[in-house]
Amino acid sequence: MALPDSYTLKPNAVPAYFDAMLDAQPPERFSLKFLENLGFTSTNDRLFIGILKDLGFLNRDGTPQSRYFAFMDRGRAKQVVAEGIREAFAELFAINTKAYDFTVDDARNKLRTLYAGKKTDLVIGNIAKTFRALCDYADFSAPATVVAPAAIEPPHIEITQLQRLEWVTQSVTHPTHQP
């Protein structure tokens, strides 16, 4: 997954955006009109829609996804945001599992390396400020959900404990020759 392109010019408004979403019924489509109905009428507010897409709350056409509906549970809302941040900024969390503790400068410096010249310093700075604001809102106290790699054997094949033991034993006693 690529790093996010979205950012806000109003990072201090991040809590207000999310709180307004919690107070509203999820829309069929999260549009500019819906955002305006939430009370965010500035052209700078429009950038928040891109952030929601990057966090996996909305698909590309603005339709709410399962993460949006999970967010509506006020007891888990901030943890759901943390899940979206971990996913959207997976490359940053690969560098440091506690990237949510980065200062704006720490995030900016790491993002400069990760974007590898594909973004200007101004844009990277805005993304870093947005990342920091999102992390300030989110709750990272729950352990990260780790997506397990695909199993060695296809899931439709049943393997007995004895077969598995034989396979492991063969792997250890007769390792595959590596050129």
Side-chain angles (χ1 to χ4, degrees):
M1 176 177 240
L3 283 166
D5 291 325
S6 301
Y7 58 86
T8 179
L9 297 173
K10 296 171 60 175
N12 293 337
V14 165
Y17 293 136
F18 283 120
D19 291 346
M21 288 169 57
L22 285 169
D23 290 338
Q25 189 72 20
E28 252 182 67
R29 191 170 161 272
F30 199 110
S31 62
L32 293 176
K33 184 71 175 161
F34 180 74
L35 191 61
E36 289 171 358
N37 288 341
L38 293 178
F40 301 102
T41 57
S42 166
T43 55
N44 288 335
D45 293 323
R46 296 175 183 179
L47 299 172
F48 187 66
I49 295 173
I51 294 168
L52 291 175
K53 290 176 182 179
D54 284 341
L55 294 178
F57 279 66
L58 308 173
N59 72 9
R60 289 293 149 206
D61 74 355
T63 305
Q65 300 299 291
S66 60
R67 182 167 285 146
Y68 190 116
F69 298 109
F71 169 78
M72 296 307 291
D73 175 353
R74 288 181 186 271
R76 287 200 59 235
K78 292 184 177 193
Q79 291 175 344
V80 172
V81 173
E83 291 168 10
I85 295 167
R86 280 187 173 115
E87 186 178 296
F89 289 91
E91 293 178 50
L92 205 52
F93 282 90
I95 292 171
N96 186 328
T97 57
K98 293 188 178 186
Y100 53 83
D101 284 334
F102 282 171
T103 64
V104 171
D105 286 338
D106 293 338
R108 182 183 300 121
N109 288 331
K110 300 297 183 212
L111 289 169
R112 273 190 188 125
T113 300
L114 293 172
Y115 281 114
K118 294 179 181 154
K119 303 271 184 231
T120 66
D121 277 348
L122 179 64
V123 169
I124 291 171
N126 287 328
I127 293 171
K129 289 175 191 171
T130 300
F131 173 76
R132 181 70 257 148
L134 289 168
C135 289
D136 287 343
Y137 180 82
D139 176 5
F140 287 91
S141 64
T145 325
V146 178
V147 178
I152 294 174
E153 64 273 355
H156 64 279
I157 297 175
E158 288 192 33
I159 295 178
T160 66
Q161 284 289 64
L162 181 59
Q163 289 171 320
R164 182 172 282 128
L165 181 61
E166 288 172 353
W167 180 79
V168 169
T169 305
Q170 288 175 353
S171 299
V172 172
T173 58
H174 304 294
T176 307
H177 175 61
Q178 299 288 329

